[in-house]
Amino acid sequence: MFPFLPRTTVSALSGLLCLSSIYVASGQSCGCSSIVIPVHVDVLISKDPSDPFGGLKSNASSLRRLNDTYDVFGVFCQPNTASPKNADVIQLLVHGFTYTHQYWSPPTEEFRNYSYSEFACDRGLSSLAIDWVGVGLSSRPANPFDVQYATGAAVLSQLARHLKTASIFPGIQPFKKIIGIGHSAGSIMLTFGAILESAQYPFDGLILTSSLNLDLSTLAPLLGATSARDDTPLRWGALDPNYITTSNRSIFYPTDPTAFSPRMVIFDNFTKDVGSLSTVTQGNITSVTAHYTGHVAKVVGSDDRFFCAGGRCIDVAALNAAERMLWPEAQSFEVVVAQESGHDMNLDFFAKGPFSTFVGFVNQFTAL
Ligand SMILES: *[C@@H]1O[C@H](CO)[C@@H](O)[C@H](O)[C@H]1NC(C)=O
Ligand SMILES: *[C@@H]1O[C@H](CO)[C@@H](O)[C@H](O)[C@H]1NC(C)=O
Ligand SMILES: *[C@@H]1O[C@H](CO)[C@@H](O)[C@H](O)[C@H]1NC(C)=O
Ligand SMILES: *[C@@H]1O[C@H](CO)[C@@H](O)[C@H](O)[C@H]1NC(C)=O
Ligand SMILES: *[C@@H]1O[C@H](CO)[C@@H](O)[C@H](O)[C@H]1NC(C)=O
Ligand SMILES: *[C@@H]1O[C@H](CO)[C@@H](O)[C@H](O)[C@H]1NC(C)=O
């Protein structure tokens, strides 16, 4: 009923994927296809996987080289008719901890109207929602300590360069502008690359949702993270214990129980994924100044139980001033507090508000 149109896949491994079982919400104005992109990463990561700065402040003797190629799974959605301006633009969508590409498009008809991929597509914008390395349908390194923010950030940079120089599918031109949109730890991943690469970072703009400068390790206890193999032995029994997950998802939703569907929380629990331990221990990355020169927007929910607890997001002007200090060379910078939204702002009843905000920023960041 809703077309899933695998046009082609770029990977030696694509035969292993059961493509037809992947549901992607897409209406008549929009076509979506899955893809696997091999990404080569040659990067220095921390010898200590719990280094709070993820290697950003380390000397050479505290770092080790990671040289590997990973298959990165993604879902590419494209409007059937895009204006010439929008045809040059792609959004790279980066999920957060224990989520997958499905955060941007929950794969059931019931939750179809929570699909940002479809919302954006209906407004003429293409997107590629990927799974982090170690997560979902992307390669999962046997050693979870290979999966650090430095690794994920290198993957995003390589992908962005690929999208700007090569054709993702036959007949689709390389994109001229890329906006990275992250959720939570996905925003930290995008931030890591911006710190490391400054003006060379291939993204034209960043929309960092559900992420403020706050030590993540102090928030980690709220997550109740446990080894994935202990949490769900049937699914993850063979995983290294440093691949972790969370058992209670309520913290991702607003405090007000009428602000979201209880069925979404159940669905969320059944479709959750894993992350590596470093995702929660490398928590001080967001306190490092980024000399990135593109556009930056942060969007946080006023009822985000991690970042806006204790009235932290009430004074929006003060929040803007504090966050802006870490992005001194950004072409533009703004923090938006999405009223009533929770940490998973895409998954509650207010999602359409943030969705409109994201599209507004994408249009603003890519205007000539
Ligand atoms: C490198 O950093 C480590 C850990 O912070 C420290 O113990 C070591 O002394 C440093 N080495 C040099 C040469 O600065
Ligand atoms: C890094 O990996 C690439 C491809 O996987 C390989 O060709 C190259 O020799 C490696 N480099 C080093 C220094 O190991
Ligand atoms: C991490 O950041 C918090 C503040 O956000 C700070 O209190 C803590 O000392 C930092 N940790 C390290 C290792 O710098
Ligand atoms: C999940 O956490 C919330 C608080 O975030 C708590 O109220 C609730 O009882 C917890 N649920 C379970 C099943 O532990
Ligand atoms: C979450 O899903 C698991 C099965 O994967 C189930 O055993 C558990 O009861 C669920 N928890 C909640 C709070 O729904
Ligand atoms: C999706 O539809 C349901 C039921 O019609 C509605 O309650 C919910 O607010 C909608 N969600 C979004 C994100 O629009």
Side-chain angles (χ1 to χ4, degrees), residues 113-114 346 348-352 355:
N113 65 344
Y114 295 86
N346 291 23
D348 58 41
F349 290 149
F350 309 106
K352 289 279 156 67
F355 287 178

Side-chain angles (χ1 to χ4, degrees), residues 64-327:
R64 68 179 168 97
R65 182 176 180 183
L66 179 71
N67 179 34
D68 222 325
T69 298
Y70 301 112
D71 282 309
V72 175
F73 176 87
V75 172
F76 173 69
C77 291
Q78 190 197 29
N80 293 333
T81 48
S83 71
K85 176 191 152 284
N86 281 347
D88 288 342
V89 176
I90 185 160
Q91 308 167 97
L92 185 59
L93 308 179
V94 190
H95 64 82
F97 175 61
T98 69
Y99 287 88
T100 66
H101 70 279
Q102 293 182 358
Y103 175 76
W104 304 101
S105 194
T108 65
E109 175 56 17
E110 178 181 354
F111 299 133
R112 188 171 170 203
N113 65 344
Y114 295 86
S115 171
Y116 177 64
S117 306
E118 189 174 0
F119 183 94
C121 212
D122 285 344
R123 285 152 187 81
L125 291 167
S126 301
S127 63
L128 175 66
I130 55 121
D131 285 348
W132 296 354
V133 165
V135 170
L137 296 171
S138 291
S139 304
R140 177 176 288 142
N143 180 0
F145 297 151
D146 286 354
V147 186
Q148 301 186 20
Y149 281 104
T151 317
V155 167
L156 298 180
S157 273
Q158 291 290 80
L159 269 178
R161 293 198 164 87
H162 176 75
L163 291 166
K164 279 189 155 179
T165 53
S167 166
I168 182 171
F169 283 109
I172 297 179
Q173 295 300 309
F175 295 94
K176 294 200 175 78
K177 294 195 171 169
I178 302 194
I179 306 300
I181 309 186
H183 172 239
S184 194
S187 297
I188 302 178
M189 209 173 268
L190 285 165
T191 300
F192 192 100
I195 294 166
L196 209 59
E197 297 193 49
S198 305
Q200 269 67 54
Y201 205 33
F203 292 94
D204 299 277
L206 302 173
I207 300 171
L208 305 171
T209 80
S210 305
S211 169
L212 296 174
N213 170 29
L214 200 68
D215 182 13
L216 206 65
S217 58
T218 65
L219 304 174
L222 294 175
L223 275 172
T226 48
S227 285
R229 70 177 189 189
D230 298 334
D231 182 84
T232 315
L234 271 178
R235 188 170 169 205
W236 291 314
L239 278 192
D240 183 289
N242 291 300
Y243 277 114
I244 58 176
T245 191
T246 64
S247 50
N248 186 343
R249 319 287 288 174
S250 333
I251 193 82
F252 296 132
Y253 293 80
T255 37
D256 175 0
T258 65
F260 57 92
S261 164
R263 290 179 56 76
M264 180 61 94
V265 187
I266 294 167
F267 176 76
D268 181 333
N269 175 54
F270 278 108
T271 55
K272 72 185 181 187
D273 213 278
V274 301
S276 69
L277 183 66
S278 301
T279 316
V280 291
T281 54
Q282 300 188 332
N284 279 48
I285 290 165
T286 51
S287 66
V288 181
T289 302
H291 295 282
Y292 170 64
T293 50
H295 297 275
V296 181
K298 290 198 165 197
V299 185
V300 68
S302 66
D303 205 359
D304 183 321
R305 291 157 80 171
F306 293 100
F307 292 108
C308 294
R312 215 180 279 121
C313 302
I314 292 171
D315 186 343
V316 182
L319 192 58
N320 258 282
E323 293 285 326
R324 185 190 291 267
M325 276 171 39
L326 294 160
W327 299 86

